[in-house]
Amino acid sequence: MWTEELDNGKFKFKERYFDEYTGKNRYVSVTMDKNTSQTKKTAQRILEDKIREKTSVNSPDATNLTFGELVDK
């Protein structure tokens, strides 16, 4: 995670992750008012949640399919 100071005085926290579906590196970011230890920890949790949400499979039954069922669909 790294931090960038914006022109308006706020701080943008960014994190890079690898998207296995597209094979590309992606970025997520969150903007906070301060750059303290507490906001860094909060930003880290928010970024981890965003990454987990983006990398999870959207279809609830996709993990329960067999190859034959997938071919039939």
Side-chain angles (χ1 to χ4, degrees), residues 28-30 46-55:
V28 291
S29 65
V30 63
I46 292 170
L47 293 173
E48 288 173 359
D49 290 341
K50 283 186 173 186
I51 292 171
R52 192 175 310 114
E53 182 180 308
K54 289 180 182 270
T55 58

Side-chain angles (χ1 to χ4, degrees), residues 3-12 31-34:
T3 307
E4 296 177 359
E5 186 172 3
L6 301 176
D7 294 335
N8 60 4
K10 294 185 178 186
F11 295 89
K12 183 180 280 191
T31 304
M32 306 291 267
D33 293 329
K34 300 176 186 176

Side-chain angles (χ1 to χ4, degrees), residues 54-67:
K54 289 180 182 270
T55 58
S56 67
V57 177
N58 292 335
S59 178
D61 64 339
T63 57
N64 298 332
L65 289 177
T66 63
F67 183 71

